[in-house]
Amino acid sequence: QVQLVESGGGSVQAGGSLRLSCAFSGSTVNAYCMAWFRQSPGKEREGVAGIYAGDGNPTYADSVKDRFHISQDSPNNQLYLQMNSLKPEDTATYYCAAVVRRPFMQCDHNWDDPNRYNYWGQGTQVTVSS
């Protein structure tokens, strides 16, 4: 059974940085399309960044491009999200998500559709104050 556990959230001032981690267990992360999502109260879950170890080309939401960086430590089954130049509008609960990559499936296609993923972590809160 695949399990995802996020950590690294917290409270920072605008302009600060945080690094989120997602521990992946129950399988090998290399076989999965991975992504980070976030959700604020009253808003829909939003894709932040996606990655697949097989091609290494990450994708980002326009709102975080050039500020956030997604990476994967395959030997240790870890997924990371480095968040720099944080803004108050980045405040949200951040979730790690995974779906097994089946043959001919492209991880970057519809990567930001939450319905695509069937494994989710419990979330970690990020609060950015102005």
Side-chain angles (χ1 to χ4, degrees), residues 5 7 21-24 29 71-80:
V5 179
S7 61
S21 300
C22 173
F24 180 102
V29 69
S71 62
Q72 190 166 303
D73 179 356
S74 297
N76 292 307
N77 267 358
Q78 294 278 341
L79 181 72
Y80 301 105

Side-chain angles (χ1 to χ4, degrees), residues 2-85:
V2 170
Q3 288 190 324
L4 308 174
V5 179
E6 302 96 337
S7 61
S11 298
V12 294
Q13 289 191 328
S17 298
L18 281 174
R19 188 193 195 204
L20 305 183
S21 300
C22 173
F24 180 102
S25 63
S27 185
T28 175
V29 69
N30 276 347
Y32 289 74
C33 302
M34 303 294 297
W36 285 98
F37 284 78
R38 66 186 181 187
Q39 189 168 21
S40 303
K43 293 188 177 180
E44 294 186 352
R45 193 164 291 193
E46 172 193 21
V48 175
I51 193 169
Y52 169 57
D55 60 24
N57 292 322
T59 51
Y60 297 94
D62 288 341
S63 59
V64 306
K65 203 170 293 182
D66 299 327
R67 298 189 298 122
F68 290 11
H69 176 68
I70 188 172
S71 62
Q72 190 166 303
D73 179 356
S74 297
N76 292 307
N77 267 358
Q78 294 278 341
L79 181 72
Y80 301 105
L81 184 68
Q82 177 66 43
M83 305 186 296
N84 300 321
S85 302

Side-chain angles (χ1 to χ4, degrees), residues 116-128:
R116 192 179 191 223
Y117 299 86
N118 51 358
Y119 297 106
W120 293 86
Q122 82 289 349
T124 185
Q125 178 67 35
V126 172
T127 303
V128 184

